[in-house]
Amino acid sequence: MAPKSDNTEAIVLNFVNEQNRPLNTQNAADALQKFNLKKTAVQKALDSLADAGKITFKEYGKQKVYIARQDQYEIPNNEELAQMKEENAKLQEQLQEKKKTISEVESEIKSLQSNLTLEEIQEKDTKLRKEVKEMEEKLIKLREGITLVRPEDKKAVEDMYSDKINQWRKRKRMFRDIWDTVTENFPRDIKEFKEELGIEYDEDVGLSFQAYSDLIQHGKKRGRGQ
């Protein structure tokens, strides 16, 4: 079922404003297929928005090209633009450092053997949690800064971060399976045995797997809102 006319216009207007670049009907229709909007409905919405002055357009022969109204955006002055470029350069450096760190983490993960001992799993898990925390701190800096990093680069970094979270989840599950097997029908006090081995759960060191995992959804919501 296709959206109603008013809702269609709202979807199309939001898309045009988010893109903020010249668009023809086909561009918009292709991108808005996920909303079950047909090309005729998109064309009608674009014309209606243009007639209402909510977007602008230019005609090139028989084709119309639509663009968001530029008076709704703040245009930086030369000083602000220079500052943005400087901050962008810093963000690019941080991004390259992050890619290098992630590459090193990936190499480390690939080197892990499938039959790790309980002590090795605990050691690798601690190291991985530390690396994930460092990556999360760098991500926060990227997200709080002026987002001049290319969208595809940002997505690649967030995809890699998501992969590390999945690795963390697998390691937690692997440890829990081994630990449950070792301690099943164990005659001694489990807590004392855990302390004797020097094993610490995430919560013991003030880490929350769920908090780091939630950052992935937070980033997606923020991305849609920008």
Side-chain angles (χ1 to χ4, degrees), residues 82-141:
Q83 182 179 357
M84 291 167 68
K85 288 181 178 180
E86 181 180 349
E87 292 178 350
N88 180 53
K90 292 179 181 179
L91 288 174
Q92 291 288 354
E93 290 180 5
Q94 292 175 5
L95 182 61
Q96 293 304 316
E97 290 177 1
K98 183 172 184 59
K99 287 182 177 180
K100 180 179 178 181
T101 299
I102 290 174
S103 178
E104 292 173 353
V105 173
E106 287 180 332
S107 298
E108 182 69 19
I109 291 174
K110 289 179 181 178
S111 69
L112 293 175
Q113 299 179 356
S114 59
N115 56 340
L116 295 176
T117 65
L118 185 65
E119 181 179 356
E120 288 172 333
I121 289 175
Q122 192 270 341
E123 180 181 347
K124 296 295 184 181
D125 182 64
T126 300
K127 182 178 179 180
L128 184 59
R129 279 185 279 149
K130 180 181 178 180
E131 291 168 342
V132 169
K133 183 177 180 180
E134 291 173 352
M135 288 188 290
E136 179 269 338
E137 291 173 350
K138 291 183 179 179
L139 268 178
I140 289 176
K141 292 179 180 179

Side-chain angles (χ1 to χ4, degrees), residues 151-208:
E152 56 266 32
D153 288 340
K154 180 180 178 183
K155 183 179 185 303
V157 171
E158 291 184 335
D159 285 347
M160 285 187 280
Y161 178 80
S162 178
D163 180 67
K164 302 315 158 197
I165 289 295
N166 289 334
Q167 290 292 338
W168 186 358
R169 182 183 290 107
K170 291 177 182 178
R171 296 251 169 250
K172 284 172 64 72
R173 188 183 303 114
M174 184 187 302
F175 170 79
R176 177 53 63 188
D177 290 343
I178 295 177
W179 181 251
D180 289 345
T181 299
V182 171
T183 58
E184 185 177 6
N185 300 321
F186 196 70
R188 293 175 53 189
D189 182 86
I190 302 301
K191 183 177 181 181
E192 291 180 358
F193 182 55
K194 170 174 162 284
E195 292 176 351
E196 181 179 327
L197 293 177
I199 295 175
E200 294 179 321
Y201 293 155
D202 295 347
E203 296 76 13
D204 296 337
V205 292
L207 289 176
S208 169

Side-chain angles (χ1 to χ4, degrees), residues 15 19 21-33 39 42 46 63-66:
F15 172 74
Q19 295 296 306
R21 61 183 177 87
L23 299 163
N24 59 31
T25 304
Q26 191 64 54
N27 297 148
D30 290 342
L32 297 175
Q33 284 182 357
K39 183 177 179 180
V42 173
L46 287 169
Q63 187 179 55
K64 289 183 179 180
V65 175
Y66 303 87

Side-chain angles (χ1 to χ4, degrees), residues 13-63:
L13 177 60
N14 184 60
F15 172 74
V16 173
N17 285 337
E18 282 185 344
Q19 295 296 306
N20 191 24
R21 61 183 177 87
L23 299 163
N24 59 31
T25 304
Q26 191 64 54
N27 297 148
D30 290 342
L32 297 175
Q33 284 182 357
K34 60 185 176 182
F35 294 104
N36 197 28
L37 293 177
K38 296 186 180 298
K39 183 177 179 180
T40 53
V42 173
Q43 178 70 71
K44 182 179 179 180
L46 287 169
D47 288 337
S48 178
L49 291 168
D51 291 341
K54 295 180 180 180
I55 61 176
T56 60
F57 73 94
K58 290 185 178 181
E59 292 187 88
Y60 298 91
K62 295 181 179 180
Q63 187 179 55

Side-chain angles (χ1 to χ4, degrees), residues 61-81:
K62 295 181 179 180
Q63 187 179 55
K64 289 183 179 180
V65 175
Y66 303 87
I67 191 169
R69 288 179 56 114
Q70 297 303 296
D71 55 5
Q72 66 181 309
Y73 301 107
E74 292 185 5
I75 307 299
N77 56 38
N78 290 338
E79 182 179 347
E80 292 172 333
L81 188 59

